[in-house]
């Protein structure tokens, strides 16, 4: 009998492993979420802080369309892959509840579902879009941009004209990397296509808040895009005769915690994230 | 004891089964092209004979000949296809894949598989689809409409050249369509391999067909997995035809040249 249990564990484990492997590449997420009327809800809030020495944050030279891309005359552009405030708060971290099966209806703010391309920068840098709804994209710039998606979406949309929104339905959940193929190799942003509304992007102080959470115990996770440049490919831009490199970023990192939510109360969760 | 083992296995399989079904796409076993139904089981055998050397046994493009090819054989596990009648971001129709296999991809290592019967090709399509979960999880979007062609006139060609300018095709393809635009050198495909914009002046066949309708479809849907974007949101059907007429004039002696051009293109791109 003892052996039976051991075997059973082993085989179940194997089954789970295989299931995990066969699903790898699919978005980390969950299968079902039901919107209900949330009565006695609680709130989760907190701060994501940087711990340890602040890594050197890479910048790239503005090699193209400087008149549009660099209205202030800056020569290089921050890639915005890691934005740490003076108070140590880490911006652009996505904090969310894992495996929540029911709660409030989708209410992601408009601002995180609308993307602008302005001065050759994606604004905002991190977007949240509910699965099955549209990401709205436009360009404020007079030069060509293209938004080339990779990951949970593969659309490739040019923006030859200014100020016209193009909606693209985000069908699969998961992470979508954005890049521009019109020579602006520094442009980068991430879209998270999500199945439930309990997602928040930290502000410049690392602050986040999840509201209307049904009471209970949850796993809460902080997700940050990779900030290291994993590899770079140098090429010569024929137009400007400047060497440009298209950076490839390291993998995103997550940190998980447990949180208990009580009705009418605010639960505090602090994340401390670091280089390793 | 053995009986318990069997029971354990059964339970484990029962757990495993749905996840395999929903995730790996092993069960997207068919293709439908007109009256033809392709079966992955038969396709697998053909694939082992004709495709594995380039696309690899896992469909990841890592076949033994891959090292010698540029562009690389397609990694089917990514589920990204250049030649589609569907909009950017959508999986292709079975008939798109079927057409590609028969047409081959000029200027690349991908041969025209005309010696294979239509049934063979349908079976291959069914098998190629099993490498990506996208064909299980997603449905193709409605194909992009191709309007009836407008007359080829000097005015249409002139308007087309204005469309080429305003849509900024020259950013990648260059002012004269030589594939040498200011952004050309920074381009990468979805596997981070360098990729060059099409050079219209060489006059080789396009990767995704050669007719005017093919050309119309190519820039309307874009070539997924490459920097070539989809323009369906930005032009009217009439403007799209004007653009087609103009692009044909870039292919200098299109028609005459195309007889030898396939060969030239191959050399130019290696």
């Amino acid at each position: 009998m003892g052996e039976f249990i051991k075997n059973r564990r082993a085989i179940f484990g194997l089954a789970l492993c295989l299931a995990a492997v066969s699903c790898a590449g699919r978005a980390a997420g969950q299968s079902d979420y039901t919107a209900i009327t949330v009565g006695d809800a609680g709130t989760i809030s907190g701060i994501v802080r940087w711990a340890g020495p602040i890594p050197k944050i890479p910048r790239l030279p503005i090699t193209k369309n400087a008149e549009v891309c660099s209205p202030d005359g800056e020569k290089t552009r921050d890639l915005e892959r890691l934005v740490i405030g003076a108070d140590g708060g880490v911006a652009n971290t996505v904090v969310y509840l894992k495996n929540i099966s029911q709660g409030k209806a989708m209410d992601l703010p408009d601002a995180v579902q609308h993307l602008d391309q302005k001065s050759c920068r994606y604004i905002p840098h991190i977007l949240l879009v509910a699965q099955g709804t549209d990401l709205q994209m436009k360009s404020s710039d007079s030069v060509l941009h293209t938004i080339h998606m990779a990951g949970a979406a593969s659309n490739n949309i040019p923006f030859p004209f200014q100020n016209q929104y193009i909606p693209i339905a985000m069908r699969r959940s998961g992470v979508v990397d954005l890049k521009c193929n019109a020579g602006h190799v520094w442009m980068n942003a991430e879209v998270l296509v999500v199945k439930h509304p309990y997602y928040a992007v930290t502000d410049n102080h690392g602050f986040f808040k999840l509201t209307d959470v049904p009471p209970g115990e949850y796993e809460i996770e902080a997700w940050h895009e990779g900030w290291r440049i994993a590899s770079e490919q140098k090429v010569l831009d024929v137009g400007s005769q400047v060497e440009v490199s298209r950076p490839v970023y390291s993998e995103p990192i997550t940190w998980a915690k447990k949180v208990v939510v009580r009705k009418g109360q605010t639960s505090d969760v602090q994340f401390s994230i670091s280089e390793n | 004891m053995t009986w318990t083992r069997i029971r354990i296995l059964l339970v484990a399989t029962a757990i495993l089964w749905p996840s395999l079904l929903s995730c790996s796409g092993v069960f997207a076993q068919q293709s439908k092209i007109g009256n033809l139904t392709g079966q992955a089981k038969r396709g697998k055998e053909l694939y082992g004979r004709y495709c594995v050397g380039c696309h690899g046994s896992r469909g990841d493009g890592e076949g033994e000949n891959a090292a010698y090819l540029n562009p690389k054989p397609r990694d089917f596990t990514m589920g990204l296809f250049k030649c589609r009648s569907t909009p950017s971001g959508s999986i292709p129709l079975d008939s798109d894949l079927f057409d590609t296999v028969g047409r081959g991809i000029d200027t690349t290592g991908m041969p025209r598989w005309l010696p294979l019967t239509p049934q063979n090709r349908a079976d291959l399509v069914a098998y190629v689809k099993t490498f990506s979960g996208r064909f299980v999880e997603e449905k193709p979007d409605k194909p992009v409409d191709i309007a009836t062609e407008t007359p080829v006139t000097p005015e249409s060609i002139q308007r087309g050249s204005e469309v080429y300018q305003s849509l900024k095709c020259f950013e990648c393809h260059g002012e004269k369509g030589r594939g040498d635009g200011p952004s050309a050198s920074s381009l990468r495909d979805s596997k981070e391999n360098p990729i060059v914009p099409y050079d219209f002046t060489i006059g080789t066949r396009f990767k995704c067909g050669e007719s005017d309708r093919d050309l119309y479809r190519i820039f309307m849907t874009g070539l997924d997995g490459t920097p070539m974007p989809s323009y369906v949101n930005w032009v009217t059907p009439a403007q799209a035809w004007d653009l087609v007429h103009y692009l044909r004039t870039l292919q200098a002696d299109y028609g005459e040249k195309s007889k030898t051009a396939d060969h030239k293109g191959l050399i130019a791109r290696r």
Side-chain angles (χ1 to χ4, degrees), chain B residues 113-125:
Chain B
W113 293 102
L114 286 178
L116 299 178
T117 64
Q119 182 62 53
N120 288 161
R121 279 183 270 148
D123 293 340
L124 280 163
V125 167

Side-chain angles (χ1 to χ4, degrees), chain A residues 7 11-12 15 19 22-23 26 64 142 144 148 154-156 158 160-161 166 171-172 181-183 233 235-237, chain B residues 8 11-12 16 19 23 80 88 137-138 141 166 168 171 182-183 185 187-188 192 226-231 234:
Chain A
N7 272 340
I11 293 178
F12 272 36
S22 69
C23 290
R26 272 183 112 201
K64 204 171 173 224
S142 56
L144 178 71
H148 192 173
S154 52
N155 305 65
N156 186 0
F161 307 131
I166 302 291
R171 303 256 164 72
R172 273 188 289 170
N181 287 322
Q233 278 147 332
V235 286
L236 189 72
D237 186 291
Chain B
I8 300 163
V11 174
L16 188 54
S19 70
C23 298
L80 293 179
S88 168
E137 290 159 20
E138 298 173 36
D141 290 342
S166 68
K168 305 186 174 82
E171 271 286 345
S183 300
S185 59
L187 300 179
R188 298 279 178 278
E192 299 297 336
T226 86
M228 173 64 203
S230 144
Y231 283 89
W234 302 100

Side-chain angles (χ1 to χ4, degrees), chain B residues 64-95:
Chain B
E64 58 184 14
N65 303 325
Y68 312 105
L69 295 172
N70 178 25
K72 295 284 164 219
R74 186 61 40 76
D75 172 356
F76 297 134
T77 65
M78 300 184 81
L80 293 179
F81 294 92
K82 295 184 180 179
C83 306
R84 303 171 334 277
S85 56
T86 54
S88 168
S90 164
I91 52 173
L93 303 181
D94 290 358
S95 55

Side-chain angles (χ1 to χ4, degrees), chain B:
Chain B
M1 193 59 220
T2 27
W3 173 232
T4 22
R5 284 245 165 98
I6 291 168
R7 254 176 40 203
I8 300 163
L9 268 172
L10 280 177
V11 174
T13 327
I15 294 177
L16 188 54
W17 209 241
S19 70
L20 276 178
L21 259 176
S22 65
C23 298
S24 66
V26 181
F27 293 84
Q29 296 258 345
Q30 288 196 344
S31 68
K32 283 234 180 296
I33 299 107
N35 303 327
L36 282 176
T37 302
Q39 299 291 349
K41 219 187 325 155
R42 291 195 300 254
K44 182 174 182 174
E45 235 182 273
L46 295 161
Y47 184 91
R49 224 173 304 153
Y50 302 113
C51 322
V52 80
C54 290
H55 292 285
S57 57
R58 285 185 300 267
D60 55 6
E62 301 287 346
E64 58 184 14
N65 303 325
Y68 312 105
L69 295 172
N70 178 25
K72 295 284 164 219
R74 186 61 40 76
D75 172 356
F76 297 134
T77 65
M78 300 184 81
L80 293 179
F81 294 92
K82 295 184 180 179
C83 306
R84 303 171 334 277
S85 56
T86 54
S88 168
S90 164
I91 52 173
L93 303 181
D94 290 358
S95 55
D96 294 335
L97 295 172
F98 179 83
D99 291 346
T100 308
V101 176
R103 187 172 53 219
I105 304 185
D106 276 27
T107 72
T108 83
M110 170 68 186
R112 294 187 200 191
W113 293 102
L114 286 178
L116 299 178
T117 64
Q119 182 62 53
N120 288 161
R121 279 183 270 148
D123 293 340
L124 280 163
V125 167
Y127 186 62
V128 163
K129 283 165 58 185
T130 62
F131 290 117
S132 165
R134 288 193 74 190
F135 290 98
V136 183
E137 290 159 20
E138 298 173 36
K139 284 201 178 57
D141 290 342
K142 198 173 133 310
V144 169
D145 283 329
I146 303 184
T148 325
E149 180 160 9
T150 56
V152 187
T153 60
E155 293 75 31
S156 168
I157 292 171
Q158 175 56 33
R159 286 193 303 268
S161 82
E162 285 153 21
V163 174
Y164 185 84
Q165 284 302 318
S166 68
L167 294 179
K168 305 186 174 82
C169 308
F170 61 84
E171 271 286 345
C172 296
H173 292 281
E175 291 290 345
K176 300 246 155 54
R178 286 193 219 283
D180 58 354
S183 300
S185 59
S186 65
L187 300 179
R188 298 279 178 278
D189 69 12
S190 52
K191 303 269 279 187
E192 299 297 336
N193 294 313
I195 184 166
V196 286
Y198 179 79
D199 177 350
F200 286 91
T201 62
I202 289 180
T204 48
R205 292 206 321 174
F206 306 118
K207 290 187 171 177
C208 304
E210 58 185 334
S211 70
D212 285 356
R213 287 171 65 84
D214 291 330
L215 178 49
Y216 183 112
R217 199 188 51 241
I218 288 164
F219 62 73
M220 289 300 238
T221 63
L223 271 57
D224 280 5
T226 86
M228 173 64 203
S230 144
Y231 283 89
V232 67
N233 297 301
W234 302 100
V235 282
T236 64
Q239 287 174 319
W241 279 118
D242 291 340
L243 185 54
V244 168
H245 300 151
Y246 170 66
L247 293 173
R248 286 304 192 196
T249 65
L250 297 175
Q251 294 178 292
D253 2 277
Y254 172 74
E256 199 194 304
K257 223 181 181 180
S258 58
K259 286 176 212 128
T260 53
D262 285 4
H263 181 62
K264 267 209 216 142
L266 263 175
I267 295 167
R269 264 149 201 264
R270 284 272 156 95

